[in-house]
Structures are given as C-alpha cells and as structure tokens.
Amino acid sequence: MTTIPVMKPWLGEEEAAAAAEAVRSGWVAQGPRVARFEQAFAAHAGTGHGVATSSCTTALQLGLLLLGIGPGDDVVVPSLSFIATANVVRHVGATPVFADVDPQTANLTAKTVEAVVTPATRAVIAVHQAGMPADTDELRTLCTGRGLAVLEDAACAAGSTYRDAPVGAAAELAAWSFHPRKLLTTGEGGMLTLTDPDLADRARRLREHGMNISAATRHTTRQPVLESYLETGWNMRMTDIQAAIGLIQLAKLDTMVTRRRELAAGYRQRLADLPGLYAVTDPPHGQTNYQSFWIRLPDDFPMSRNELLAFLAERGISARRGIMATHLEPAYRGHPHGDLTVTEALTAQTLILPLFHTMTEAEQDHVAAALREAAQGGATR
Ligand SMILES: *Cc1c(COP(=O)(O)O)cnc(C)c1O
C-alpha cells in the first residue's frame, strides 16, 4: 500500500533545468538570480522590497534586529506556532511572551494580545498560521496606539489574501519561508519583505556580514572595489541555485493556491456531515492558501487525536498532529505564561490532513472514508 503524504512539493523538470542552468553558469552563491527573485516575490506580495535569506527563521531574526529589539525587551508571540516564531525572540536576547489565539483562525487577535502586553513589550509577531490571514488591521490599530511594532510571520502564507490584497502587502516587515512544507519551495530559503527602502538596505547589509557593498556587485565590477564592514552582520544568504528554483515556483504559485483551495473545498464537502467536526475555512477578512488543512475533533469523538493519527496511518494516510504549542515543549519548560486555554485545546484536538497539488479525488475519498469510519467508532474493520 502506498502512503498518501501530508504534503508534497510541486516540483518538475522546469525547476531542475533552472537549477542546472545556475550551476552551469558558474554563479552559485547569492547573485543575479537572487536579485531577480527578490524583485519578483516582492511584486507578487504587493510590497516594495524583498531581501532573500537562508530561511524564514533568519528572516524573522533579521526583522527583529531591524526593529532594534534585544535584551530587556518583550515580544508577544502565539505559543500555537512552529517553534521558530518564539525562538527568534530568544536569538536576539529578548523574551517571548505567549498570547492565546482565536479558536477558528488559530491566530492572535487584538484581545489576546492586549491581555499580555507589559511595559517591556516592544513588538508583536503576528503569524498567519497555516496560511490563514491574521486580522492585521485590528492588530496594527492596537499596536500603533501603544507604540509597538508588528512583524508578520508569513512563513506559510504566500498566496493568501487579506482584504483583497496579498497578505503582507501592508506590512512594514513580513517574513516568508520556502521550506518544502510550505507552498512555494526552494529547498530551504526565506525572504523578508519591507516597505521602507532604507530598512531594506540595512537588511541586505546585515544579511551579508555587515558589508557596505554586496559580493555580487563587487564581482561584477571591473575596477577593484574595497568593501568595508559597517556593523556586525550575519551570513543569512540564499544561493542563486535556490533563487533559480524560486523564480519557477513563484510563477506557479497562483495555480498552486487555486488547486489547494479546490481540494480544501472537496474535503469540506466530504466531511460536512460528520457531527461536531470543525474544518478550517476562510475568515471574513480574507482567503487562506490552505498551507495546512486542519480539522478539530469534537470532545465526544470516539478516539483520541493520537489514536486517530495511528488509525489513519494504518490505512496508508499520513496525517499530522495540529499546530504545535511552543510552551509545552521542553525548550520552554518553566517559561512563564498566562492563560492559553484555546492554544492547549487546539494543539490537542486538531490534526492536519494530506493536501498536495497532485492529490486525486480517489485519495480524498479514501481519507474522508477513513475519518468517517473512525467517527463511527472505527469498529467496522
Ligand atoms: C515553517 C515556519 C517557520 C520557519 O520557517 P523556516 O523557513 O523553516 O525557517 C516559521 N514560522 C512559521 C509559522 C512556520 O510555519
């Protein structure tokens, strides 16, 4: 029996040819393809500038550095997120403060953020969880009133929309991931998008060891250029091989989103009559790209979430636990936090169903039938 994977990148010969072309050109580190990918991605996201990075984690870290956040500062984050959202706050020496989330969107709200803001709070990392657009207007209104910066963690959200514009279009700072678990992939990779050109210049410098002139520029100039290092930077660069793949993937992004939304509708239809089951859906303020299609089991479901994962695995279905809760991980043991009731319920009762570009109707039928069998007590087999 072949297993239905939870996610599979949609890669083909075009990506392979683009990567090969970059290799044959002899220019494999950050260069002209990265510059083209940055421009194309920022244009697609409806924002001014893109700064490609090695991952979304480094893009988030770069965002916090640009905001000047460090020791003594608090940054509000959802606990219900991939752990990198909180880790980057620690990476710059600041303290993550966990806020609870909305049960339907799994995102922060102005209310949950307001409940945990302290005098030391400097910023909020607003995650568009699993592609679900966060209500950033509402969050921004709260934050602007209190002098807090907003950094958007759009790791999963390429192709999602918020109030008829791409997610991140209005963001001062938004960070994106190109890991294969997201839609658009470059293997590993990330991007920081920004509206302010001066901040973008500084981001480029911090990404490349604090150099005042990029290596790419130095190597394309005939005259010798003596670079200098204006501040302590990092190596957060993307390679030209990755960017070559990214350019092809970006051209396919809208098709990917359309297909994922069709498949999500297919699941919603197939699961509509399962009593008490909640399936993630668009919020009133936008459209999700369904980076992850998650469902929440009712309290009286006949088996636990983990039993259900095992039940599905036995039937050749690779589902996953829902979004993790960072405060429950050993790395955050003892880290103080307030009320996270919704976070704890969501992380315990949700699971992510397989959804990938080339998924077939028959595969969806198989997943839906297995869930139905489980909902009936799983005794029919
Ligand atoms: C995947 C993910 C990240 C990390 O992305 P990388 O590119 O793997 O560093 C950060 N935040 C969220 C919400 C994610 O889903």
Side-chain angles (χ1 to χ4, degrees):
M1 183 170 58
T2 58
T3 296
I4 303 177
V6 71
M7 180 64 156
K8 190 158 72 176
W10 187 38
L11 291 163
E13 285 309 312
E14 264 192 284
E15 284 86 349
E21 192 273 330
V23 171
R24 288 194 190 100
S25 79
W27 196 300
V28 289
Q30 178 184 289
R33 292 168 195 80
V34 168
R36 282 211 299 280
F37 183 46
E38 289 176 337
Q39 277 172 13
F41 188 85
H44 191 278
T47 186
H49 307 274
V51 178
T53 55
S54 49
S55 68
C56 180
T57 305
T58 50
L60 285 166
Q61 192 188 343
L62 193 51
L64 292 174
L65 293 167
L66 292 175
L67 292 170
I69 287 168
D73 296 334
D74 282 353
V75 178
V76 176
V77 299
S79 167
L80 194 82
S81 184
F82 183 60
I83 197 165
T85 308
N87 283 349
V88 293
V89 178
R90 286 183 164 178
H91 292 163
V92 300
T95 305
V97 175
F98 295 127
D100 212 359
V101 292
D102 174 80
Q104 249 105 51
T105 62
N107 280 330
L108 296 180
T109 66
K111 214 170 143 203
T112 65
V113 170
E114 195 164 25
V116 300
V117 168
T118 68
T121 305
R122 295 276 318 278
V124 174
I125 302 185
V127 181
H128 301 285
Q129 195 52 258
M132 171 71 65
D135 194 344
T136 40
D137 283 354
E138 182 198 87
L139 288 169
R140 221 167 256 122
T141 301
L142 172 81
C143 290
T144 308
R146 291 168 180 255
L148 310 178
V150 179
L151 168 58
E152 296 187 26
D153 181 344
C156 305
S160 296
T161 63
Y162 177 66
R163 301 201 191 284
D164 298 323
V167 154
E172 188 191 357
L173 295 162
W176 311 79
S177 174
F178 307 127
H179 183 273
R181 182 65 186 78
K182 327 294 182 182
L183 274 68
L184 185 173
T185 188
T186 58
E188 293 278 359
M191 184 87 72
L192 185 71
T193 55
L194 325 81
T195 45
D196 183 299
D198 296 332
L199 269 190
D201 281 350
R202 177 139 188 259
R204 288 180 208 293
R205 194 160 76 220
L206 284 172
R207 161 187 70 175
E208 194 168 19
H209 306 292
M211 252 193 283
N212 66 334
I213 175 161
S214 78
T217 308
R218 243 183 324 129
H219 290 295
T220 49
T221 310
R222 277 166 176 257
Q223 295 301 315
V225 180
L226 301 178
E227 81 283 10
S228 63
Y229 299 83
L230 305 179
E231 57 184 323
T232 308
W234 278 259
N235 178 356
M236 297 176 170
R237 285 175 301 210
M238 175 184 274
T239 70
D240 250 31
I241 306 171
Q242 291 169 300
I245 296 170
L247 280 161
I248 306 290
Q249 286 269 293
L250 181 63
K252 292 160 87 170
L253 177 60
D254 294 344
T255 309
M256 291 187 211
V257 174
T258 303
R259 180 63 186 145
R260 293 188 77 78
R261 290 181 56 79
E262 275 168 17
L263 287 164
Y267 267 138
R268 294 179 53 74
Q269 200 184 342
R270 284 168 173 82
L271 303 176
D273 62 339
L274 285 189
L277 191 109
Y278 174 76
V280 67
T281 188
D282 284 332
H285 55 251
Q287 290 194 338
T288 169
N289 62 5
Y290 289 107
Q291 181 267 343
S292 287
F293 184 84
W294 55 267
I295 57 173
R296 180 174 178 176
L297 303 177
D299 291 339
D300 61 355
F301 199 78
M303 56 180 88
S304 73
R305 191 275 313 275
N306 290 353
E307 284 165 354
L308 178 58
L309 289 176
F311 181 89
L312 294 173
E314 276 168 29
R315 283 152 185 78
I317 298 162
S318 177
R320 289 282 184 279
R321 70 167 176 176
I323 300 147
M324 65 178 295
T326 300
H327 75 283
L328 299 178
E329 293 299 321
Y332 284 83
R333 192 170 291 142
H335 189 88
H337 64 81
D339 175 46
L340 296 169
T341 308
V342 178
T343 297
E344 288 177 0
L346 284 180
T347 201
Q349 296 183 331
T350 57
L351 65 154
I352 293 167
L353 300 184
L355 188 63
F356 48 93
H357 191 81
T358 52
M359 190 173 198
T360 63
E361 295 263 318
E363 285 171 325
Q364 275 205 306
D365 287 342
H366 180 59
V367 176
L371 285 170
R372 189 168 306 279
E373 193 187 340
Q376 284 156 4
T380 55
R381 185 169 149 158

